[in-house]
Amino acid sequence: MDFIEFLWAYILVFLLSATPFLEACVVIPISIVAGLSPAPAIILGLVGNILTVLVVILFVNKIKEWRRRRKEGDVEKGESKRTKRAQNIWKKYGLPGLAIIGPMFVGSHLTAFMSISLGGTKKRTFYWMTISITLWTIVLTILAVLGIDLLGREDDGFLQNIFQ
């Protein structure tokens, strides 16, 4: 694989990690299984995911206003299952619990939005979401690396095979 192909692969890691519902904790292990170097993949994936969560946190009031305007014409259906589940987690474990548990069920972006909507401050939400994203990414990356080692495929990423 030449330099340009590697560069595009890492740019793709950044962009996919920044995409809601794909998340760094999913993209990074896949990129490592694909044969990319773990250190740059982890750094780029975390930065991409955390930056877009920060954007959600900073613009949460604009997002709420947009959702309110969008729902004005809709018939009120009540709270969704996701919202009820988030409220239950919030009541039981607070912001740290929702930040740690939420990304595995609804993604980090929606968890950040819900955390602020349920009463978390922007600063504390960003702090706990950064911890959560980093924690889940490290755990799932370690599992991916151990899985690669257990299979004896550490030097046989499928991206390397595709570009050859």
Side-chain angles (χ1 to χ4, degrees):
M1 198 182 307
D2 69 357
F3 176 74
I4 298 298
E5 290 167 338
F6 268 120
L7 182 63
W8 277 112
Y10 287 113
I11 289 171
L12 194 58
V13 168
F14 177 84
L15 293 174
L16 291 175
S17 294
T19 305
F21 303 110
L22 285 179
E23 316 287 335
C25 62
V26 172
V27 173
I28 293 169
I30 291 171
S31 68
I32 292 170
V33 169
L36 296 179
S37 178
I42 291 168
I43 292 168
L44 289 170
L46 283 174
V47 169
N49 198 169
I50 291 170
L51 279 177
T52 54
V53 167
L54 177 61
V55 168
V56 168
I57 291 170
L58 291 175
F59 293 103
V60 72
N61 294 331
K62 298 280 185 193
I63 296 168
K64 283 181 184 178
E65 180 64 26
W66 173 77
R67 287 185 73 217
R68 186 191 59 74
R69 280 194 313 261
R70 198 172 132 224
K71 286 186 173 188
E72 279 179 352
D74 292 347
V75 176
E76 192 64 34
K77 293 184 269 185
E79 294 178 335
S80 70
K81 289 171 85 176
R82 286 182 186 174
T83 303
K84 288 179 185 176
R85 188 179 303 140
Q87 287 173 340
N88 289 336
I89 293 170
W90 181 267
K91 288 176 189 171
K92 193 169 185 176
Y93 303 108
L95 176 59
L98 183 60
I100 299 296
I101 296 169
M104 294 313 293
F105 296 103
V106 295
S108 58
H109 300 86
L110 189 54
T111 299
F113 180 79
M114 287 181 185
S115 295
I116 292 177
S117 296
L118 293 171
T121 65
K122 290 180 179 183
K123 185 176 181 178
R124 287 196 71 226
T125 298
F126 180 69
Y127 172 76
W128 280 105
M129 290 306 303
T130 301
I131 289 171
S132 175
I133 293 166
T134 304
L135 176 73
W136 282 115
T137 299
I138 289 169
V139 167
L140 294 175
T141 300
I142 288 170
L143 292 175
V145 169
L146 290 176
I148 294 168
D149 288 341
L150 292 174
L151 297 173
R153 297 179 48 99
E154 60 267 348
D155 294 327
D156 190 29
F158 68 82
L159 273 184
Q160 292 173 349
N161 294 332
I162 290 172
F163 291 118
Q164 288 180 353

